[in-house]
Amino acid sequence: MGCQLALLPLLIGAVAAPSVVEGSAAEAIAHNHDDARLAYRLTRADKDLLDQVERAAFLYFWREVGRPALLVRDRYKAPVASVAAVGFQLAALPIGVQRGWIDRQAGFDRACTVLRHLLDRTDNRHAGVFLHFVDHKTGSVTCGSTTDAWD
């Protein structure tokens, strides 16, 4: 909280500060968000690159999972899943369906499997809140040291 409070004057100053150069492109952007002249248009190469990155990100969430729970690894080669990574994994499923990378039934089945393995356990939460790290194969609380999780 202290760090956030320390940044507050800087943020307020940046938002409230007048433009340094009158008539500059920065001023035009700040005052006219709808100006078509300022819109960036993606080239075909840009769109192809974005498609490759999006598909690769989806494939990480689809392939880097533990069996049978199908929880995505927190990091590549990590033996644990995190609540954050699983959230991204679940959000990636409808994108994969929409893009045609998986069919609707496969996305539905994966979501059900992931959620079932998390919800059916009782050792992976405290006071109703899921623990941040769980075993990516079972959804259970991780045992022992987690230092090997980042190798």
Side-chain angles (χ1 to χ4, degrees), residues 4-145:
Q4 291 172 337
L5 290 177
L7 292 175
L8 192 57
L10 294 173
L11 294 173
I12 292 172
V15 171
S19 178
V20 175
V21 179
E22 293 296 321
S24 69
E27 184 178 68
I29 292 170
H31 296 293
N32 191 356
H33 300 291
D34 297 327
D35 191 340
R37 295 174 298 143
L38 299 175
Y40 180 77
R41 292 182 182 39
L42 296 175
T43 66
R44 184 73 214 148
D46 293 335
K47 291 177 183 177
D48 290 345
L49 176 62
L50 285 173
D51 188 56
Q52 290 175 12
V53 170
E54 290 165 0
R55 186 173 175 94
F58 171 79
L59 288 174
Y60 178 83
F61 293 116
W62 187 256
R63 293 180 179 165
E64 293 301 318
V65 297
R67 302 214 186 287
L70 301 178
L71 300 173
V72 70
R73 296 172 187 267
D74 182 68
R75 295 184 187 185
Y76 183 65
K77 295 187 178 181
V80 294
S82 69
V83 171
V86 170
F88 283 118
Q89 176 188 24
L90 292 171
L93 295 173
I95 295 168
V97 171
Q98 180 187 31
R99 294 294 190 97
W101 299 328
I102 58 172
D103 64 35
R104 184 181 173 101
Q105 189 62 49
F108 178 81
D109 292 346
R110 175 67 60 101
C112 288
T113 299
V114 166
L115 293 171
R116 189 177 315 108
H117 277 87
L118 287 174
L119 294 172
D120 285 351
R121 301 199 64 92
T122 58
D123 65 342
N124 61 3
R125 63 193 87 138
H126 177 72
V129 178
F130 284 101
L131 300 176
H132 188 73
F133 291 110
V134 295
D135 184 273
H136 76 293
K137 293 178 182 175
T138 64
S140 69
V141 66
T142 58
C143 296
S145 172

